[in-house]
Amino acid sequence: MSEHAPHQHGQHDDGTPTSPDGTAAVGAAAVWDERYRTKKQFWSGNPNPQLVREAGGLKPGRALELGCGEGADAIWLARHGWSVTAVDVSAVALERAQAHEKAVYARESVQPADGPPPGRITWQQADLERWEPEAAFELVTSQFLHSQELDWRHPLRTAAAAVKPGGTLLVVGHHPDRLPPWGGGHHHADMFYTGEDLVRELELAGPDWQVEVLTSRERPVTGPEGQHATIADVVLRATKLA
């Protein structure tokens, strides 16, 4: 669940597989696996532009990405020296992410002498509504975590809690008032958030955080049938002080 267009998440009914304890985690995984199987490659393979802009100047360390999709952002971070834990609900997406990683490093088998050493990526499948990391990170990022079946509040609170003191939280999403027109009925208000929503729900206005960037940035996008539109990304970058 990571890239430039609003994501729809198919509704699962009583026929959707569930985990042995009756939770919806396997159902969500099954829906996303099936969605990824509809295309050989679902996303562009390029890192999200707001990640590049906001994380490009940070000192590499340990990074956590929630909703890594086919892995372009995690691979970009690793190529810039980060050790990345990349988490997604879809096993199909993670298989593609690992294949993408291998292909990238096969093409770039010789690291430039003046460039940073590549980092390491740990790919992990998990239900983001339940998963909790066992460590803290210098960077925690989530890009476009929008889904009909996933309330963004819990995983993004998990993201904020996983940032080390002195570390960075980076959240990027689609602004609810600037969505592309071709989403149709798959646009649900609860899937999206404003910057103010993020600050409130993640409790970033208190003394433990310093919000560095809180903005909405326009960019052009192309739809599935070649349509053109201008949408807006909500961008939040905050430093954890304590």
Side-chain angles (χ1 to χ4, degrees):
M1 288 187 284
S2 176
E3 202 160 332
H4 310 159
H7 308 302
Q8 69 187 71
H9 204 313
Q11 298 289 347
H12 65 84
D13 54 25
D14 292 340
T16 301
T18 57
S19 60
D21 64 359
T23 67
V26 174
V31 170
W32 275 102
D33 283 348
E34 183 60 28
R35 185 168 183 227
Y36 276 108
R37 289 190 186 105
T38 63
K39 294 183 180 180
K40 185 176 180 180
Q41 179 176 326
F42 214 86
W43 308 120
S44 69
N46 299 318
N48 283 302
Q50 309 300 349
L51 172 74
V52 174
R53 177 170 177 172
E54 297 299 333
L58 300 177
K59 180 181 178 181
R62 297 187 63 191
L64 170 65
E65 183 188 4
L66 295 182
C68 66
E70 292 171 320
D73 287 350
I75 293 167
W76 183 88
L77 287 167
R79 291 178 65 203
H80 288 77
W82 294 86
S83 293
V84 186
T85 299
V87 185
D88 201 273
V89 70
S90 171
V92 174
L94 292 171
E95 289 172 3
R96 293 182 183 178
Q98 292 177 71
H100 186 188
E101 178 190 17
K102 291 178 181 178
V104 167
Y105 283 110
R107 292 195 302 266
E108 302 177 0
S109 57
V110 179
Q111 183 72 19
D114 59 349
R120 181 176 63 88
I121 305 175
T122 300
W123 306 101
Q124 183 171 349
Q125 183 184 17
D127 172 10
L128 295 182
E129 287 190 301
R130 300 174 182 272
W131 181 78
E132 301 287 343
E134 297 179 356
F137 299 83
E138 282 79 19
L139 170 65
V140 180
T141 178
S142 181
Q143 307 275 317
F144 305 104
L145 190 66
H146 303 302
S147 170
Q148 291 180 26
E149 292 184 349
L150 176 67
D151 185 336
W152 55 267
R153 293 167 182 81
H154 178 76
L156 293 188
R157 287 171 185 151
T158 298
V163 180
K164 292 180 65 173
T168 298
L169 173 68
L170 176 61
V171 179
V172 179
H174 295 292
H175 196 289
D177 296 333
R178 295 296 304 276
L179 299 172
W182 50 80
H186 299 300
H187 288 168
H188 295 270
D190 288 346
M191 291 170 57
F192 305 101
Y193 42 76
T194 65
E196 291 73 20
D197 292 335
L198 291 173
V199 170
R200 181 183 65 254
E201 296 293 340
L202 305 186
E203 300 181 350
L204 303 180
D208 293 343
W209 290 92
Q210 179 172 319
V211 176
E212 312 284 357
V213 175
L214 184 63
T215 191
S216 176
R217 294 178 183 150
E218 293 186 347
R219 62 181 172 86
V221 292
T222 302
E225 298 179 2
Q227 314 98 306
H228 296 284
T230 298
I231 66 171
D233 295 338
V234 172
V235 182
L236 167 74
R237 177 167 60 85
T239 301
K240 190 170 188 179
L241 302 178

